[in-house]
Amino acid sequence: MCIFCKIINKEIPANVIAEDENCLAFHDINPKAPVHILAIPKIHVDSFNEVTPQIMENMTTFMQNVAKEVGIDQNGYRVITNIGENGGQEVQHLHFHILGGAKLKWGHFSDSDPKDFL
Ligand code: 5GP
Ligand code: ZN
């Protein structure tokens, strides 16, 4: 069983913010912003590559509500999902990073200069 499925099953503790029938949100253990939440579907999905529109429908409303609940919806925030090796995905259970609480920087997405790929 994957690490996020263990969190869903309460076999591993997590700092849970919100939960409904289909989704769970908890604080990232290694935050990269003042607010860094992970939102996941309760059903195991490897990554965004495999997710269905039905799951995304639930996730979308859930994440909008989480952003409101923690008070970042008005000032703005960022939602990121990493996919596969090039995307930097470390946990193979679909998760959305919800980052906010400060003006976020934009960039540093590759160790290479983007011009090198042109
Ligand atoms: P990825 O690199 O796969 O997009 O992101 C995985 C995220 O999960 C990382 O930001 C990492 O800090 C977080 N993470 C990994 N293991 C745990 C854990 O056991 N508990 C919590 N709360 N976060 C975790
Ligand atoms: Zn899982």
Side-chain angles (χ1 to χ4, degrees):
M1 190 187 290
C2 91
I3 190 164
F4 286 175
C5 280
K6 286 182 180 166
I7 287 176
I8 292 160
N9 288 343
K10 304 196 190 315
E11 289 173 32
I12 293 178
N15 197 345
V16 172
I17 296 156
E19 182 169 11
D20 70 10
E21 198 187 330
N22 303 299
C23 311
L24 181 70
F26 50 95
H27 289 283
D28 194 294
I29 207 166
N30 180 23
K32 293 176 178 67
V35 176
H36 187 171
I37 295 163
L38 299 174
I40 64 174
K42 284 190 174 174
I43 186 169
H44 181 93
V45 177
D46 283 346
S47 83
F48 187 75
N49 273 342
E50 290 81 18
V51 76
T52 63
Q54 287 75 22
I55 293 171
M56 283 311 300
E57 189 177 345
N58 294 327
M59 293 279 341
T60 301
T61 306
F62 180 75
M63 289 192 284
Q64 289 167 340
N65 289 336
V66 167
K68 272 187 211 135
E69 277 170 35
V70 299
I72 58 172
D73 59 315
Q74 292 305 311
N75 286 338
Y77 57 101
R78 191 172 292 163
V79 176
I80 295 175
T81 187
N82 296 325
I83 302 146
E85 187 166 352
N86 276 2
Q89 184 179 3
E90 286 176 1
V91 177
Q92 311 306 315
H93 180 129
L94 173 65
H95 51 283
F96 293 89
H97 299 260
I98 302 173
L99 298 145
K103 180 106 180 155
L104 302 172
K105 289 185 181 161
W106 181 252
H108 194 69
F109 291 116
S110 169
D111 291 334
S112 312
D113 186 329
K115 290 193 229 45
D116 296 343
F117 299 106
L118 297 176

